Amino acid sequence: MYLIKELNYTQKEAQRLIAKGRLLVDGVPLTKAGAEIEGEFEFIYFEPLTRGLKPVYEDESLVVFDKPSGVLIHPQNRNTPYSLIDELKYQYGRDANITHRIDQETSGLVLCAKNKKSERDIKMMFQERDMQKTYLALVHGKFDGEIVVEAPLLRAEDESAIVRMVVKVDARGKASKTSFKPLHYYADTDMSLVECKPHTGRQHQIRVHLFHVKHPIVGDPIYGQEEKDIVRFLDKELTPKERIEKSGAARLLLHASELEFELYGKKYHIKSVVDFENSCQSTLGCE
């Protein structure tokens, strides 16, 4: 009742925070939510910070940010200095929440809810696949013609020495489908700009499907790299220069460019304000 009465959390929120060890009594995390307690209380809470990132769209129910590459969606731990959830809650309050994820290095559109009701409805929309997402990717090689990749994806611990959670094409995996359309070929660098439309929402789906058809994304430090270099990247031992030499860029060149959906009787078609093609050209000197 302490968190509910003194700090205005809901019962569900209070139970979740206690389960995470956020409430301490005399320096010891409280484990039983309904216990009668006395002593010195310490509560670890999330205080959002801002870096001034402005949304590209908002209305009474939702808000959309154009996330820069390198920004996390959620903090990895208590020492994470900043993530998109910081920006969202700083600007729109405690009830605002992010409704889906993109990788830290993937840039582009992230749809957020302003309140609990729109959060539930938007997440249901994602579950029902009533959301059309379009990505842009710069890939290695000449991408010839439109293709649809239907290759099941399995998220499982790799059997090699990496011993980390990876995603791979595997007959035991979940059904996954992505449509690809080439937009431009840069002959001088042997790279292609490709439009990607995932029909399912598996982790790393676009990255793995492009690697599967032998067109890994430029800058991808995992898919398309040798095991020893993957380990060095994950252990933060791979230098930026080495990464550019091995993958083609210092960041993953994947961008969430468009969102199309219908919510509360309104049709949305939101586009990124970032010129991703020009950004790639500037970064890599493509012509």
Side-chain angles (χ1 to χ4, degrees):
M1 297 297 288
Y2 172 77
L3 293 179
I4 298 172
K5 287 185 175 181
E6 299 297 327
L7 299 176
N8 298 317
Y9 283 99
T10 65
Q11 182 175 350
K12 185 178 180 180
E13 289 171 335
Q15 290 173 338
R16 181 174 58 83
L17 291 167
I18 290 172
K20 287 185 173 182
R22 299 286 181 86
L23 182 62
L24 296 84
V25 182
D26 294 329
V28 179
L30 181 69
T31 56
K32 190 175 180 181
E36 291 188 8
I37 51 176
E38 62 179 38
E40 183 175 298
F41 292 86
E42 181 182 357
F43 177 57
I44 302 170
Y45 68 97
F46 175 68
E47 182 178 3
L49 304 172
T50 181
R51 291 185 179 176
L53 182 65
K54 300 300 182 185
V56 294
Y57 178 85
E58 70 169 298
D59 61 20
E60 65 278 1
S61 302
L62 57 89
V63 59
V64 180
F65 284 96
D66 218 337
K67 185 185 80 69
S69 175
V71 174
L72 286 161
I73 293 291
H74 295 282
Q76 289 179 328
N77 52 53
R78 294 176 188 173
N79 297 320
T80 300
Y82 174 81
S83 64
L84 190 62
I85 195 71
D86 275 275
E87 200 64 70
L88 176 67
K89 290 186 180 292
Y90 181 91
Q91 295 187 37
Y92 297 99
R94 199 164 71 189
D95 285 347
N97 210 355
I98 294 172
T99 60
H100 67 118
R101 294 170 180 260
I102 60 176
D103 293 339
Q104 179 179 0
E105 289 198 1
T106 302
S107 55
L109 302 179
V110 179
L111 177 59
C112 310
K114 282 188 171 182
N115 54 64
K116 298 295 184 183
K117 181 183 187 306
S118 60
E119 179 185 354
R120 289 191 298 269
D121 293 339
I122 292 171
K123 286 183 176 179
M124 181 59 67
M125 185 172 57
F126 275 104
Q127 290 177 12
E128 298 295 327
R129 299 179 186 174
D130 294 331
M131 165 74 69
Q132 176 66 65
K133 294 184 286 185
T134 302
Y135 290 76
L136 296 175
L138 190 71
V139 305
H140 290 284
K142 186 176 183 180
F143 205 102
D144 290 317
E146 296 183 32
I147 62 170
V148 176
V149 178
E150 295 188 69
L153 299 180
L154 180 68
R155 186 178 186 271
E157 191 169 283
D158 198 285
E159 296 173 356
S160 71
I162 298 176
V163 195
R164 288 182 171 90
M165 300 305 287
V166 297
V167 181
K168 61 179 72 175
V169 171
D170 193 296
R172 299 169 297 169
K174 295 181 178 180
S176 306
K177 179 180 177 181
T178 315
S179 298
F180 297 103
K181 176 183 177 182
L183 300 177
H184 190 78
Y185 175 60
Y186 303 101
D188 57 334
T189 56
D190 190 28
M191 296 174 182
S192 300
L193 183 68
V194 179
E195 179 185 87
C196 320
K197 292 192 174 184
H199 301 275
T200 49
R202 312 301 178 204
Q203 183 183 31
H204 292 182
Q205 178 174 316
I206 293 173
R207 296 169 66 179
V208 181
H209 276 176
L210 283 168
F211 171 60
H212 180 63
V213 296
K214 297 179 172 52
H215 290 287
I217 298 176
V218 177
D220 196 326
I222 304 293
Y223 304 103
Q225 303 303 317
E226 295 183 11
E227 181 179 308
K228 60 181 177 62
D229 293 322
I230 297 172
V231 173
R232 291 184 64 215
F233 169 76
L234 294 173
D235 289 339
K236 303 186 187 306
E237 295 175 355
L238 195 70
T239 68
K241 182 180 178 181
E242 288 176 314
R243 180 174 175 179
I244 292 171
E245 290 172 351
K246 295 176 184 298
S247 70
R251 60 152 287 201
L252 180 73
L253 290 178
L254 178 65
H255 183 72
S257 61
E258 297 181 43
L259 295 173
E260 292 182 70
F261 58 96
E262 184 173 341
L263 184 68
Y264 306 139
K266 181 178 179 179
K267 292 184 178 180
Y268 295 83
H269 187 181
I270 302 168
K271 297 184 178 182
S272 170
V273 298
V274 173
D275 187 338
F276 180 68
E277 182 177 8
N278 184 63
S279 176
C280 291
Q281 292 173 348
S282 299
T283 302
L284 303 171
C286 301
E287 296 179 358

